Amino acid sequence: MARCLRVVLALGSLALPLPSQTIYARKEKLVESRFIVRYPEGSGERLNEYVARLENIPGIRRADALRRLDMAVVVCEAGADEDSVLQAIDADKDVELAVPDSWVYAFGADAQMCSANPGCRALNLQGSCCPASDGARMACCFAKPQKRSTPQSESTISLQSVHGGYITVSHFGRVGWRGKKTDPDAQIQLEAHPDGYVSLRSSHGTYLVTSPSGHLVAWHRGHRDADDWEKFKLIYNTDDTISLRSKVSDKHVSRDNSTSDMLSATTDRVEISERFMVTMTHGKDTLVPNDPRLSKLWAIDHFGDRDMDAVEAWKMSSRSVTESAQPVVVAVIDTGIDYTHPDLQESMWVNPNEIAGNGIDDDGNGIVDDVHGADFANNDGDPMDDQMHGTHCAGTIAATGNNSIGIAGVAWQGVRLMALKFLTSTGGGRTSDAVKSLNYAVAMGAQILSNSWGGSGSSSALRVAIERSEHAGVLFMAASGNDGLDNDEVPNFPANYPNENIISVASTTQKGDLSAFSCYGKTTVDVAAPGSDIYSTIPGGDYASLSGTSMATPHVSGLAALIWLYRPELAVSQVKDIILRSTVPEKSLENACVTGGRINARRAMGLASIYPAPRPPIHAPKQVLFADINPGVGRIGGSVIISAPDDQSDIEYYGVHFLSSAGVLMESIGKANVSGHKTLSIKLDNLTIPLFAKGMAAVAANSSGRMPVTAAAVLEIEDYGVPEAGPEDVSFGGDADPVAGKVGGSIKIRRACNERTVSHYNIYWQHASERGDLLGSVPAIGYLSPSCTGDCSLLNMSYENGKHLYHRDAYGNNELAVITFSGPATVKITSFLTESYYDYLKIAGTQISGTDLELPKVIHVPRGDQTLTWLSDHSEGEGGWSLELWQDGEEARFALPSSRLSSADIKVVSAYGRTELSSEAMSCPINDFDANSMPPSRAYLPDSVEFNDENVEEGVISGAIKLRLPEVRLQGIVSSYRVLLADKAGVEIPGFSWTKDLDHETTDTVRVQLPGEGLQVPDAAASVVVHAVNPSGVSAATKSTKLMDIVRSVPVFANFSGDEDPVENQIKGTVTILPAANPKNIIAYTVYLSTGDQKVSLIGRVAARQPGVVRYALHAAFRPGQSLMVVSSYADKDMEHGVVIAVEDFVESFAGYGWYGWGGYGDSTRNSGVTGGNRRLDRGGRVQEPWLKHDRKPGAGDVQPLWSATDSRTLPLPVSNAGRMPLGNRQGIFGTVTIPGFLKPIKLQTDGQDQFVPPSVRERRIIGEVLSESLPGVQHGQVKLTLGRAFKDASALPGVGSDQPAVRVMPRAASLVVDFEVLAPRLEPEALQQFFDRVEAKLILLSGAGAATARLSSALAKRLEPLGYQFAAGFQVFMGEPQQVTPKTQPGRLLQEAHEMGEASKKQHVQTAWTTSALVFLMSVAGWAAFLAMAVGRARRIKNGSEADAALESVQVHNADRATG
């Protein structure tokens, strides 16, 4: 399957490789393969035709058009050969490129990841250390921000000594301890400098100076700007105080002596006298809302002057924002948003054409109840955050301000947050779902897209989608990454795409330095913003501090919104230019980003105020007319007629656009130049209606711009389309009107198997061959009947009484079947036994695996297209499953009102709008019922019949048969019901019938009690059948239900082998079970923990087998006094009682240390619920993370460099300091291939480390040639192997477990990991881009470990066998994700130094960061580069800002439980 592109949210600290993520992604890929198909821009009018062609390609199950982006998402059939599908798609001349789908991941680290780690200790790191994804690089969390409010510009601070007095400055220059904080002499302005120091300016206009003797004075020194004598380093102490250290004396400021009130900078250490408490006083140039936790937002407002000056910007923009009629919509593309959070609910975007909670797609955009956005991870309209990351980002952007609650966002009024969820609770998501999110955001009117995620692999599909959002006037914010690496050398995407509408963001700390985790890039990262210890909203109405470039990016998104609220007429390029040109320079950032600075809202507002405004036309067209004549559903054709205004003097042309349901202009349909005529015409031919489009708008435009959509001439589009399917069946439920000559009742319509082109069904009287009067209509619901792809022949499938039955027993290896259907639906799992985690059912996003499932399990499936997937890998035991599927609305009902019988038939026709598909109409007869002379009609039968056998003996039944009566009048029409037993053919079994008379007070349900305590039932009995009876006879129609003889039997015997686990409160061993005496219908035996004969918690389940004993191995948490209980499990329930087994907990201890604390099981706390190492047991004894059992953390000693690009045996190529990426100013594409077990050790070193022989020149040439042959359009010699390493343990490779197939047969073999570059051929720029995009697409496919990778592996093995290499069956190489790198040459990336904006320009500095957390590298190019460059990279990190000793003094170590981003 297409390999999952790893993208990471910027959350928390860098984390060790999560085998859970690694294997999870690998398993996910096997479930559903997708491609993103690109068509040339402007293809919208033919997109439906293209999609139809795609769906005719063998191996493709479905194709969905993304009309806003001129793309389509293709879903392959289960088990399809993706390489063949890719070739077939690319063979279509209209296809620009097909790109395999990929996966993205949140840069998230939960609290469990942030535990103590040996690697942190080995590197002498301090703080809350979280290991990185490659297991080598480490990073530490930063100190908590000060909890004080802060002055900026006209705002001031007062510095109070811990001894009581305030620092004061007299008018003649004396600095000492005196006064109160309200004393003007105690008011000091703090000015920050780019070199990391600050100056203190008194109310008299003088700076505090360190004299040559060390005393502090405040002199007028004859210069405007502060020099080194007037600079101090701010030291943030752990007790929320600060200290000052003079730059020239390198000493701390303190009281001169105990008797003096003078200050001097003469002490070496920070003690009591060197500590000051800070009090802030805001100036009149600020606007401070009343939110109680505002002081926690150091990035918004802080006395250290490394914030973004938001309170000053709010003052500048307050009037404009208040009067703004149109809010700015910011789409947060992330894990969703908790839209119920008290600080966010007023800021949420609301879909104007959707009614919340009614279960209907009111605006017709294909998504039900998308009120606040959409969830593309789960294909529904509820983007609720089930992680944390997205809600935190949203709060930074636009948490409601001045509401006396919590905090305030950067743009706390006038912004609406659109929640677009494409990352799941695990932090993972597909690139195709990210593209869908972009499509939705642009169509629904978002101006800013905030993207705090990314990864090491590139995708041309995502790049082009961002490019097309740029054409729609959308700004795309992207986090730079959390790996602490140089993006100029090791790219991160989407931040590294060259699109002009992208702003790539790094992270800074409270001190103004680049955050330790933040990626940077002098040419690839645009700006820096605060990202360390950012306090914001999290789900559940709470707040927390997180760190990362994920936290920095929302600050820039909020600033862009603030600018647009202030100047709504500005263009995208102008807003970006303002943000980049208004940054505050910082020495520590001059090599970290293009601007060399940190964002500043006050400067941005000032710069925005002087930008010239465009002058679009003010005269609008009077009217626009259009009538569709194209019969295709979803396509239109005809002529658009525009009525021009009387005055066209300011108009150059008229543009016609689709209009979204949100009132947003979408893609252009056509253009008509002003001609002087009063009407103009634009012809449309077979044009596809984009998703979300509901209307058409004609706007006037000139070279300066186009008029706003509010002034456009608009109309609603009526699509003239013909349905493609009719109803499957139509039946009449019987005449419910007892009067002769009149009929009434229910018409049952079995919907079309696919209602994609059906809007409703029309019901008519049918007169012979002529259609009569219209009786009414029934709406379509988007119904899709179940269909299966993949290994469907292995499943037992049937349909019975409105439910679909699926069963798989004794399954084998590598099975994959995918069933597609529509919700809402209900799935009931009646039996389930699979290998834990590796073999599973996935039902509408819910994954089920293992043997410990509480049965029956009912899953309610939401509305929309859904999938049910069965997957097995290498099966390790017999098992299977059974389930039932009901679809709501499979059968529509139309209530035929009581009326004179007009015809003997009813006809039902499917329709789309006003067009019907008469050729597929269905009819049914209408029979009149006369109660005076006829037996009851079908309408008087019970609605349902139920029987539950209460006797557990085989062949004996007892209990009551329940009849739910119909909602019609029965009195005088039905006198009784006759109930009988029948065989499989429906023939009555003599001697087994009963009559239930109806009285005048009959309730909704009647019961027919079977005689005696038990009734011997004949073997032929198969069903319970009911007839309705009246004086005229017995009804011919019947209602029936299946007869189930319930049998229950407990196991004959069970015992426990004895506890093999020496740890207290844990047991391990084997339960041996002798099957029940009557095993009929037993599907499994289930083991519970119990107290006596009362079940406590489920441990697991083992399949029932006959004959012979059954064994179950368990490892579970255990409490004194508990026992084991084994019960029989049936399809409908587990028995309440069974065999109870006494258990003794074996405990062994050792003198000195014992089992606890060494990493085996548990720790010194002896908590039975959690164990140490790579395994965690819950109270039920289930292994929570079984995928961890094969993986280990790689160490630096596992890697041996073999050769580099400058090796004389290879073509020399320029490489980065990391040893890999030759970027420069040229375009390139890079990849990584891992060949497990390829290398042979030559000797064993005394330290136990093997050395490995580098591949020969011939072997390297073969590798390069095989890679060339696997890539489209690549010739021999175009693939250059730039770097080679030996990895000494394949089981420790990211994403490669120890259970992978063996390779070269030799002891201690190592894996060869090779970085390569695909060199560009000599082509024109457009053709060259197409070449690189196709190569990238194939490399993504190869990284998926599917059929294409298997073919490459086979080709490589075949070429190497003559050289003496032997490969085992199943040998496979591993491809990393590709990185396509394009130099960023747009004007916005090459900005000169920012405009000067007064004295404040001297006070700023920038930072860059994603959230601390790991990119999931998975052998990606960036991962290996980072691994080898770890030591150099951390030393090379931008360190121009502050001296090492000062930095060490300012570091605060966080508690282990500190929340991280």
Side-chain angles (χ1 to χ4, degrees), residues 845-864:
T846 300
Q847 185 165 306
I848 303 164
S849 179
T851 62
D852 55 357
L853 194 66
E854 295 277 5
L855 295 175
K857 182 177 180 63
V858 176
I859 299 173
H860 297 289
V861 179
R863 185 182 298 273

Side-chain angles (χ1 to χ4, degrees), residues 1194-1368:
D1198 288 324
V1199 178
Q1200 173 192 330
L1202 297 177
W1203 81 87
S1204 69
T1206 55
D1207 193 312
S1208 61
R1209 289 169 291 180
T1210 62
L1211 177 66
L1213 291 172
V1215 294
S1216 70
N1217 290 338
R1220 25 176 302 102
M1221 271 217 184
L1223 299 185
N1225 290 320
R1226 62 185 177 84
Q1227 189 171 2
I1229 191 163
F1230 307 89
T1232 299
V1233 60
T1234 299
I1235 309 175
F1238 182 83
L1239 298 169
K1240 177 182 178 181
I1242 55 174
K1243 62 179 178 179
L1244 189 65
Q1245 301 294 315
T1246 57
D1247 60 0
Q1249 297 295 317
D1250 292 341
Q1251 295 296 311
F1252 294 89
V1253 180
S1256 66
V1257 174
R1258 183 180 178 186
E1259 290 169 340
R1260 278 189 260 179
R1261 183 181 298 113
I1262 289 174
I1263 295 171
E1265 289 176 355
V1266 171
L1267 287 172
S1268 300
E1269 293 162 4
S1270 68
L1271 300 175
V1274 178
Q1275 306 298 318
H1276 287 183
Q1278 272 186 262
V1279 174
K1280 296 300 179 183
L1281 311 185
T1282 58
L1283 187 65
R1285 286 90 67 214
F1287 203 102
K1288 302 178 185 179
D1289 188 344
S1291 68
L1293 282 168
V1296 184
S1298 59
D1299 57 348
Q1300 293 296 334
V1303 287
R1304 194 180 186 186
V1305 182
M1306 58 178 59
R1308 303 192 311 276
S1311 297
L1312 174 64
V1313 180
V1314 178
D1315 292 354
F1316 62 87
E1317 178 186 6
V1318 180
L1319 300 180
R1322 293 183 178 179
L1323 297 171
E1324 294 297 320
E1326 185 175 345
L1328 181 62
Q1329 184 63 68
Q1330 282 285 323
F1331 167 80
F1332 278 127
D1333 286 351
R1334 292 188 181 280
V1335 171
E1336 177 192 71
K1338 186 59 181 286
L1339 286 172
I1340 293 174
L1341 183 64
L1342 289 169
S1343 71
T1349 315
R1351 281 191 283 269
L1352 183 148
S1353 304
S1354 177
L1356 181 63
K1358 186 175 181 180
R1359 292 285 302 275
L1360 290 172
E1361 283 175 358
L1363 303 183
Y1365 286 87
Q1366 300 175 11
F1367 297 95

Side-chain angles (χ1 to χ4, degrees), residues 2 20 39 89 360 437 494 696 933 935 1158 1212 1252 1303 1414:
S20 61
Y39 293 97
I89 297 173
I360 298 173
S437 298
M696 189 180 292
S933 60
W1158 73 283
F1252 294 89
V1303 287

Side-chain angles (χ1 to χ4, degrees), residues 740-756:
K742 297 185 69 175
V743 293
S746 178
I747 297 173
K748 302 175 183 180
I749 305 169
R750 191 169 178 188
R751 298 180 181 275
C753 60
N754 189 335
E755 290 188 330
R756 185 172 59 179

